[in-house]
Amino acid sequence: MKIQKQTLKFLIAIIVSSLIGGLLGWFIIHFETAIFHGLLNFQNLILHNNLYIQFFIFGLCALLILIIFFSVKHKLNRLDPNDDALFDQIDHQLGVLLPLISATMISGFCLFGITVTNALNEPVLIGLILFLLNTSFALIMMVLTIKLTKVLYPEKKGNPLDFNFDKEWIKSCDEAEKFVIYKASYRCYQLMNFVYCGVMTLCLLISIAVNIGIFPYLLIGFLWITQTLVYARSANRFQHGQLDNVQ
């Protein structure tokens, strides 16, 4: 009975997905011109205002990072060993700060790529300076944030500028922290499968109205296959060896 319910749910999901895909395809075909001009205008908006967008994003991210960083530093200076509430606040802020720094660096790479693509219409030198400033700032704040984390968790080890930082950091985590890391990693793997599928489908639909070429499919396919193979290889090694000894 349980198998029948699961099969029914799967079939319903397939039918609903097909209907949604069909409706989107019909919409794109009938509004092809409007969609084409909309995408073209959006692209031109990004290209013509790329440097301004970089200034805004980097400035906003830097401001948020510095506010959170100094807030954490101030709270650490007055942290009492028995103050669990303040400890949790600091831990939560550090959990926000590290991903924000990473997102800032990733945004810098993406926007600098747009700068290089639009090299004929905007000064690449200014874009390069912004990229280097953003990357340097993100790296410095990453190192300083890791140092603050070590103050909160003295048992943590690893230098963020070391290529073996992730391995050293995980080794210094206790079993509960490792479980959280592994569970979060698997959740990310599951979610990214849906993201790759969704982005591939979106490219297929957009290609009805706009010729996007073959590179989006090749890039997405390469990343999707790489993730799948890396996960399968790692899972096989973990299954046939000691978990903590697998590199």
Side-chain angles (χ1 to χ4, degrees):
M1 187 65 180
K2 185 177 180 181
I3 297 178
Q4 292 179 348
K5 288 184 178 180
Q6 292 175 342
T7 304
L8 181 60
K9 289 181 180 179
F10 177 76
L11 291 175
I12 292 175
I14 292 296
I15 293 173
V16 172
S17 300
S18 300
L19 290 174
I20 294 175
L23 289 173
L24 288 174
W26 176 87
F27 179 83
I28 291 175
I29 290 173
H30 284 77
F31 296 92
E32 179 178 345
T33 303
I35 293 174
F36 174 77
H37 287 295
L39 292 173
L40 186 61
N41 290 334
F42 176 74
Q43 175 179 281
N44 291 333
L45 177 67
I46 298 296
L47 290 176
H48 294 158
N49 299 281
N50 180 37
L51 292 178
Y52 298 107
I53 293 173
Q54 290 188 56
F55 274 114
F56 175 76
I57 291 179
F58 298 161
L60 179 61
C61 289
L63 180 61
L64 290 174
I65 288 170
L66 291 174
I67 290 174
I68 298 174
F69 175 81
F70 285 108
S71 174
V72 170
K73 191 173 182 179
H74 175 70
K75 290 177 180 178
L76 274 174
N77 291 332
R78 59 185 181 88
L79 177 64
D80 186 274
N82 298 321
D83 193 345
D84 293 335
L86 185 58
F87 183 94
D88 291 338
Q89 289 180 16
I90 297 173
D91 183 66
H92 176 73
Q93 286 185 301
L94 287 172
V96 173
L97 186 57
L98 287 172
L100 180 58
I101 295 172
S102 298
T104 301
M105 184 180 294
I106 294 170
S107 299
F109 276 97
C110 294
L111 292 173
F112 181 63
I114 295 175
T115 301
V116 174
T117 302
N118 197 36
L120 296 178
N121 299 318
E122 66 181 22
V124 178
L125 181 60
I126 297 178
L128 177 61
I129 293 174
L130 282 173
F131 170 71
L132 294 176
L133 288 175
N134 173 70
T135 304
S136 300
F137 172 78
L139 287 174
I140 292 172
M141 294 309 301
M142 182 70 73
V143 173
L144 294 176
T145 301
I146 293 299
K147 288 184 178 180
L148 289 184
T149 305
K150 289 181 178 180
V151 174
L152 190 65
Y153 297 98
E155 71 278 5
K156 291 291 187 291
K157 297 179 181 179
N159 184 348
L161 298 181
D162 188 356
F163 288 109
N164 293 322
F165 168 70
D166 291 333
K167 296 178 182 179
E168 294 296 325
W169 189 265
I170 292 178
K171 285 181 180 179
S172 65
C173 294
D174 58 30
E175 293 304 318
E177 291 172 324
K178 289 179 181 179
F179 176 77
V180 171
I181 293 173
Y182 297 151
K183 187 174 181 180
S185 300
Y186 181 68
R187 182 67 58 85
C188 178
Y189 166 76
Q190 287 182 308
L191 180 60
M192 287 308 300
N193 280 327
F194 287 105
V195 170
Y196 286 131
C197 183
V199 174
M200 186 71 79
T201 303
L202 182 62
C203 288
L204 289 170
L205 293 172
I206 292 177
S207 64
I208 298 176
V210 182
N211 182 15
I212 61 175
I214 65 172
F215 291 104
Y217 302 108
L218 294 177
L219 179 60
I220 297 170
F222 171 76
L223 294 175
W224 198 352
I225 292 172
T226 300
Q227 174 189 271
T228 302
L229 294 180
V230 169
Y231 172 82
R233 179 176 179 272
S234 300
N236 184 65
R237 294 186 66 188
F238 279 123
Q239 186 175 2
H240 297 90
Q242 293 297 320
L243 189 63
D244 292 334
N245 294 331
V246 178
Q247 303 295 331

